Amino acid sequence: MQSSVHATARAYRKLLLASNYPGRRYDLAVDALEYAFDLPFCKGMMLLVQTLIDGEVGFKVVGRGAQEAARLISRLTYGRPADLETADFIIILEEATAEEKEEALKKSKVGTLVDPHDSATFLIALKHFGHGNDLVLRGPGIKDNALVSLEGQEDLMGLREGINREYPLGIDMVFVDAAGEILALPRTTQIKRRSSSWPM
Amino acid sequence: MKNAYNFAFFDEGSKKEIRRATLKAVAIPGYQVPFASREMPIARGWGTGGLQVTLSLINQGDVIKVIDQGTDESVNAVSIKNLIQKTTGVDSTIDTGKATVVQSRHRIPEEPLREEQIIVLQVPMPEPLRFVESSEYKTKRLHGDGEYSGAWLVLFEKIMKFGKMTGGAAHPVYVHDRYVMSPSPIPKYDNPRLDHSEGIQLFGAGREKKIYAIPPYTKVVSLAFDDYPFEVENQEGRVCHLCGATDVFFDELEDELTHEVYYQCNDSSYCLKRLNQGGGDNA
């Protein structure tokens, strides 16, 4: 197993790049990672959790197997289990239902005008990103626009738009697929469907 | 490499906290994210904020460049570079183009940043409203409300007093049409290069315990009035006495014997690169 010091340093760097260039996918290179226990989610999500969570922050896991996943995260990182309203990190498992995701988004903290950073970051697991490139992104970090696929997450994008309407309040998102690729959507990113003027 | 420290000096908990703050800073361009600034083996006010940001993001395989007011060779830059290298084992360079991470005090290198290149600027005074409001409690609320009359008033008073916007460094900027931000004490000459930069710009203030950021391709506008537009330092007619460069930021020097004033590129590695490439009639 690689040293977690370097593995998390590399993962953070990819996360930093992904946050600075929304819409670009970065590979966490998880193939070399080995864990001596069964993971309740993909290796990429495990690496993100190890990189970001410790005893200073609260987290909430959403989806089937959430309890087991939360226990593992707590044991490994000392992260504090929290409810949706106060969690700093909300981990959406691949099997989470549309209703569970909607509830998580609606209840998540968006910060205050004085402390907009006191807001939730969503870590969302996907099977794969898809190939449609049907979403158009604009905003800081994007030269003109970026085309991305977030298969099955379109409804989530609509909700996100509503939550992030009152910038600088809002939530930030990181998607990770089974292959360990990540894509970040900070709150500044504006999303539209391609060939439609409907803002999401 | 073996040494008595964890990779990049910090314990992993400290890195995580700085990393989380930096990611929020990127998500809210120009907003100062508070963080638990650590004790460092250099004094606060000597680049501890920048150093903490650099150490939190550095990887094996990175190539680091550290400059202090344009030079790679000042004591402060060399000491910071030594600390980073001794605790990480990464290579260093003076060539801006070869660096993956540039830590800088008070300058943005002449060579434009490229995509995915990171510049970390050391910040002594991150709060652009501090001159008009001493209370942190109140400045945070002013930022929250987007109430920047104080920042405009400072510029207005300079115009009333001196007929122009004086102040050679840290001229405030509007970031993403929302936050007024201090760009750190870079000369006004560097301000336009903050706008829609291809690279990643991170700012660390260790003593003031703040991290903020400007992501790539972000709108950054220097504060100015319609009838008193923003102006950079006038470099017209100046020529580097070493490499012959004309369109760079200069150091003004004086010959001690003749008292003749002459100019030299402030970015010493840029000047050296030009000389090595045979640039300049005066070389």
Side-chain angles (χ1 to χ4, degrees):
Chain A
M1 185 175 165
Q2 293 179 61
S3 154
S4 69
V5 172
H6 296 303
T8 53
R10 273 193 293 275
Y12 168 65
R13 186 64 162 272
K14 296 283 171 64
L15 202 48
L16 184 64
L17 290 173
S19 302
N20 273 284
Y21 298 96
R24 291 191 195 175
R25 275 153 46 180
Y26 287 88
D27 187 0
L28 290 177
V30 292
D31 287 347
L33 292 176
E34 288 173 16
Y35 293 96
F37 43 84
D38 290 335
L39 292 178
F41 34 62
C42 63
K43 281 184 183 178
M45 179 65 88
M46 187 70 232
L47 189 53
L48 289 181
V49 163
Q50 285 179 295
T51 304
L52 293 168
I53 295 178
D54 62 14
E56 298 290 315
V57 293
F59 73 92
K60 174 75 178 174
V61 186
V62 175
R64 203 174 54 187
Q67 268 194 329
E68 182 199 346
R71 267 199 301 274
L72 178 75
I73 294 170
S74 263
R75 260 202 327 265
L76 289 176
T77 67
Y78 303 107
R80 292 181 278 108
D83 51 27
L84 287 170
E85 289 84 353
T86 58
D88 301 296
F89 290 94
I90 298 176
I91 296 155
I92 308 283
L93 301 179
E94 204 182 305
E95 298 80 12
T97 63
E99 292 74 30
E100 285 174 323
K101 290 180 192 174
E102 186 179 333
E103 185 194 7
L105 255 79
K106 284 182 174 169
K107 288 186 173 174
S108 61
K109 60 177 179 177
V110 296
T112 63
L113 283 173
V114 173
D115 289 312
H117 65 283
D118 188 19
S119 51
T121 301
F122 280 73
L123 307 177
I124 303 171
L126 303 172
K127 187 169 269 176
H128 49 73
F129 284 98
H131 300 288
N133 277 348
D134 52 346
L135 300 179
V136 184
L137 312 186
R138 295 179 72 89
I142 302 166
K143 193 169 185 182
D144 298 312
N145 54 56
L147 299 176
V148 302
S149 302
L150 287 169
E151 214 167 272
Q153 309 297 319
E154 290 81 2
D155 294 343
L156 210 60
M157 295 301 100
L159 267 174
R160 170 191 176 275
E161 175 69 19
I163 291 166
N164 286 354
R165 189 161 288 141
E166 204 184 336
Y167 180 79
L169 308 187
I171 52 172
D172 308 304
M173 292 178 163
V174 180
F175 294 89
V176 55
D177 75 355
E181 280 199 315
I182 54 169
L183 181 150
L185 294 180
R187 67 193 69 183
T188 47
T189 304
Q190 305 284 315
I191 305 178
K192 281 184 182 176
R193 267 187 211 275
R194 196 147 58 134
S195 71
S196 159
S197 59
W198 177 56
M200 299 189 72
Chain B
M1 185 196 69
K2 283 192 174 179
N3 66 48
Y5 292 99
N6 190 26
F7 178 78
F9 184 74
F10 281 131
D11 60 284
E12 291 304 295
S14 297
K15 284 185 205 167
K16 273 187 190 175
E17 201 259 344
I18 297 166
R19 289 169 179 169
R20 287 192 297 259
T22 308
L23 290 173
K24 282 296 175 194
V26 172
I28 315 169
Y31 168 71
Q32 302 166 52
V33 182
F35 81 111
S37 182
R38 267 67 182 172
E39 283 294 333
M40 300 299 290
I42 59 173
R44 285 197 169 152
W46 290 80
T48 54
L51 184 58
Q52 289 177 77
V53 172
T54 300
L55 290 172
S56 76
L57 62 82
I58 201 154
N59 271 214
Q60 289 172 315
D62 267 322
V63 180
I64 183 89
K65 170 183 167 80
V66 184
I67 52 172
D68 185 338
Q69 290 204 329
T71 176
D72 299 78
E73 293 166 2
S74 86
V75 173
N76 199 19
V78 170
S79 299
I80 287 173
K81 188 159 52 187
N82 284 346
L83 176 69
I84 294 168
Q85 284 195 283
K86 277 186 180 172
T87 58
T88 62
V90 300
D91 288 334
S92 70
T93 183
I94 63 166
D95 186 340
T96 304
K98 287 181 182 160
T100 53
V101 179
V102 179
Q103 181 171 329
S104 172
R105 172 178 176 266
H106 304 187
R107 266 318 303 276
I108 296 174
E110 295 290 346
E111 280 183 66
L113 295 177
R114 62 170 191 277
E115 284 208 340
E116 301 190 357
Q117 199 174 25
I118 298 171
I119 186 165
V120 180
L121 284 149
Q122 303 167 197
V123 187
M125 284 270 288
E127 182 49 73
L129 300 173
R130 189 62 71 229
F131 297 106
V132 287
E133 177 52 67
S134 58
S135 160
E136 174 72 9
Y137 179 87
K138 288 181 184 167
T139 51
K140 276 184 75 69
R141 275 147 187 80
L142 292 173
H143 282 291
D145 293 340
E147 168 47 59
Y148 291 121
S149 307
W152 293 103
L153 193 63
V154 170
L155 297 178
F156 177 73
E157 284 181 346
K158 284 177 180 170
I159 292 169
M160 295 309 289
K161 208 166 175 180
F162 304 107
K164 62 177 182 178
M165 288 188 283
T166 53
H171 186 94
V173 292
Y174 242 118
V175 181
H176 189 45
D177 293 323
R178 178 57 180 84
Y179 284 101
V180 167
M181 186 197 97
S182 166
S184 85
I186 55 173
K188 285 193 274 193
Y189 177 87
D190 284 344
N191 271 29
R193 285 188 289 163
L194 298 167
D195 180 41
H196 286 90
S197 166
E198 290 186 13
I200 298 166
Q201 302 173 96
L202 305 176
F203 300 77
R207 185 183 51 209
E208 304 294 322
K209 305 181 178 71
K210 294 286 173 63
I211 290 172
Y212 52 104
I214 304 175
Y217 309 117
T218 299
K219 185 180 172 190
V220 180
V221 179
S222 298
L223 262 59
F225 297 97
D226 287 346
D227 49 347
Y228 283 88
F230 174 76
E231 288 176 337
V232 301
E233 294 85 353
N234 185 10
Q235 309 289 318
E236 210 176 303
R238 297 179 178 181
V239 180
C240 175
H241 78 115
L242 293 174
C243 74
T246 53
D247 51 353
V248 296
F249 188 73
F250 289 105
D251 284 338
E252 186 177 289
L253 306 164
E254 185 181 321
D255 189 303
E256 286 182 16
L257 295 175
T258 64
H259 300 292
E260 185 192 354
V261 170
Y262 60 99
Y263 299 94
Q264 185 174 319
C265 295
N266 173 264
D267 184 340
S268 59
S269 67
Y270 176 79
C271 191
L272 192 62
K273 201 174 192 176
R274 275 178 55 85
L275 285 170
N276 286 335
Q277 289 168 349
D281 299 334
N282 300 346

